[in-house]
Amino acid sequence: VMACVPYGHGGFSSKYKRSTSSLLPSTCDILATHEPPKNILDRCLSGEKAGSSSLRTAVENMKGLPPKLWVCGHIHEGRGAVRTTFGTQRDTRETLIVNASNANPGRANHLVYGPIVVDVSSKDEITDGSKKPIAQEKRTFRAQKREKQEGEQELLLAIDLGLRCGASLFDDTGKLLRYEQLRFADEEDLHKRAPELIDSWRNDINAENSIDSNGLEIKNILSYLAVEGGGHLFDAWESSLDSEDKKDIQLVSVRPEEWRSHLLTPKERASSRSCKEAARLIARQVVSDFGLMGDHKGRFKTDAAESVAMGYFMANHLGWIERKPLISRYSNGKVIVPR
């Protein structure tokens, strides 16, 4: 038995007059809804859990067994699969919940993933279109602050996605430690070198033997990997965290329009060209005000500049940098840059 709930009934529309419970049978094997249930695969970019409480309550109150499979979408950042148990008036059974969203995080404007295939005839194995198993647990698309231990200093690595890309490294005091323009030959080269780059940058920082105000050695922990964009190149950075020594690094997907809306003026966001020019100016300011390497000399490579700007935005989001306004400007609105 398969049941479907019309889009919008979980709380986004008053079009449907009947209660959610009345739209569901007493039991079903497969349930398809647009929205996910509350608190399950439903965390959006803002950090809010935006799933449907009414849908979850309706399933919990089913007279018979809950569905074996619950397929949903809507919250693009929640793509993934989990197993859970819903309470019922009879003996319950495990439900496999699959958020099959395949668009980019935030407001959808392009597809990022292919379909998810669920073989419910055997062991409920979850695979993508190529039959390759996908992770049951999803990395977050919004930075969740971790509990910092004594003697630790957290690091954020910001990546402007591409085969020609930028990378920047911030610490939890808001200091810009390093930035570079990088180039990869192809996707295979990116998959190979991405984990090596993470190891190299992390090891280089720890090799400097930083000392705190009490004379104790500081252990630098790479806590966040923020990547702008999505698609196959994003997958390379995600897979770079598969090893045991990187399992605690939190992967965060950042939309270009997200950091630009916080750092750039509407006029600067008017075109791709003006966005890039503004990013180069903002990066110069960030390097001058927060960098440890002195003012940037020469022309700022766009990809490196955008990684610095995006990393600066993320450092502010994490509470590492508190400055209002975030960007210092002249009275005419232009970015103040070192001369």
Side-chain angles (χ1 to χ4, degrees):
V1 177
M2 180 175 181
C4 298
V5 176
Y7 168 65
H9 194 79
F12 294 88
S13 171
S14 59
K15 176 180 177 181
Y16 302 99
K17 303 300 182 182
R18 300 162 62 192
S19 70
T20 302
S21 296
S22 69
L23 295 174
L24 296 180
S26 59
T27 186
C28 64
D29 298 302
I30 299 174
L31 174 62
T33 65
H34 185 80
E35 301 104 306
K38 186 70 173 180
N39 295 325
I40 299 177
L41 302 174
D42 68 336
R43 188 183 295 277
C44 53
L45 274 175
S46 66
E48 176 188 3
K49 291 192 172 183
S52 170
S53 297
S54 59
L55 283 172
R56 178 164 185 160
T57 299
V59 171
E60 289 175 340
N61 292 333
M62 276 183 163
K63 294 181 179 179
L65 294 175
K68 294 179 181 177
L69 172 65
W70 184 343
V71 181
C72 58
H74 188 65
I75 308 298
H76 309 151
E77 301 85 347
R79 176 184 167 90
V82 297
R83 297 178 186 274
T84 191
T85 301
F86 294 103
T88 65
Q89 296 180 11
R90 300 183 180 181
D91 292 337
T92 190
R93 65 182 174 191
E94 193 174 60
T95 298
L96 173 63
I97 302 177
V98 178
N99 182 329
S101 299
N102 59 356
N104 59 284
R107 184 179 293 275
N109 54 39
H110 65 278
L111 296 181
V112 176
Y113 302 101
I116 291 178
V117 177
V118 182
D119 182 2
V120 295
S121 63
S122 55
K123 298 181 180 179
D124 294 344
E125 181 183 19
I126 305 172
T127 67
D128 62 16
S130 64
K131 301 295 184 180
K132 178 182 178 182
I134 65 172
Q136 291 273 329
E137 295 184 1
K138 185 77 179 65
R139 290 187 183 272
T140 183
F141 280 92
R142 191 66 172 176
Q144 307 298 314
K145 295 192 70 173
R146 64 185 287 275
E147 185 176 347
K148 182 179 175 181
Q149 303 299 316
E150 186 177 358
E152 287 184 349
Q153 181 167 265
E154 293 186 290
L155 303 177
L156 160 73
L157 177 59
I159 301 293
D160 178 61
L161 194 62
L163 293 179
R164 185 183 64 191
C165 72
S168 61
L169 189 68
F170 289 80
D171 69 18
D172 61 15
T173 68
K175 292 291 187 291
L176 173 60
L177 307 178
R178 181 175 178 178
Y179 63 95
E180 282 185 22
Q181 179 93 356
L182 305 171
R183 192 179 188 92
F184 301 96
D186 49 33
E187 286 190 38
E188 183 179 354
D189 186 40
L190 173 58
H191 274 272
K192 176 184 177 182
R193 290 173 54 198
E196 296 173 356
L197 181 140
I198 293 173
D199 287 335
S200 173
W201 282 39
R202 183 169 56 178
N203 294 339
D204 287 350
I205 294 299
N206 277 311
E208 295 177 3
N209 296 323
S210 302
I211 305 297
D212 66 14
S213 57
N214 297 319
L216 301 176
E217 185 175 348
I218 296 174
K219 183 179 181 181
N220 292 288
I221 304 295
L222 182 57
S223 298
Y224 307 97
L225 173 62
V227 181
E228 182 198 87
H232 295 298
L233 298 185
F234 181 90
D235 294 343
W237 289 102
E238 183 172 26
S239 63
S240 72
L241 304 182
D242 288 343
S243 61
E244 184 67 21
D245 65 325
K246 299 183 183 68
K247 66 178 182 179
D248 293 328
I249 300 175
Q250 187 178 150
L251 178 66
V252 186
S253 175
V254 183
R255 295 176 298 148
E257 57 268 28
E258 187 177 8
W259 67 262
R260 289 173 181 171
S261 67
H262 283 77
L263 303 185
L264 276 60
T265 65
K267 183 178 180 180
E268 291 167 342
R269 300 196 302 269
S271 69
S272 175
R273 181 176 180 178
S274 59
C275 280
K276 294 179 185 300
E277 177 58 31
R280 288 193 289 266
L281 296 175
I282 288 171
R284 284 186 179 277
Q285 184 180 115
V286 173
V287 169
S288 178
D289 293 350
F290 298 95
L292 300 180
M293 63 294 292
D295 293 345
H296 183 85
K297 305 299 182 183
R299 179 178 172 81
F300 220 126
K301 297 288 188 181
T302 300
D303 301 295
E306 291 192 331
S307 77
V308 169
M310 187 266 284
Y312 176 64
F313 160 75
M314 285 301 303
N316 172 260
H317 168 73
L318 290 166
W320 296 355
I321 294 175
E322 296 183 5
R323 183 166 81 168
K324 294 184 179 180
L326 280 173
I327 304 302
S328 300
R329 297 177 180 273
Y330 293 108
S331 57
N332 62 3
K334 292 186 176 181
V335 178
I336 298 175
V337 295
R339 297 187 180 278

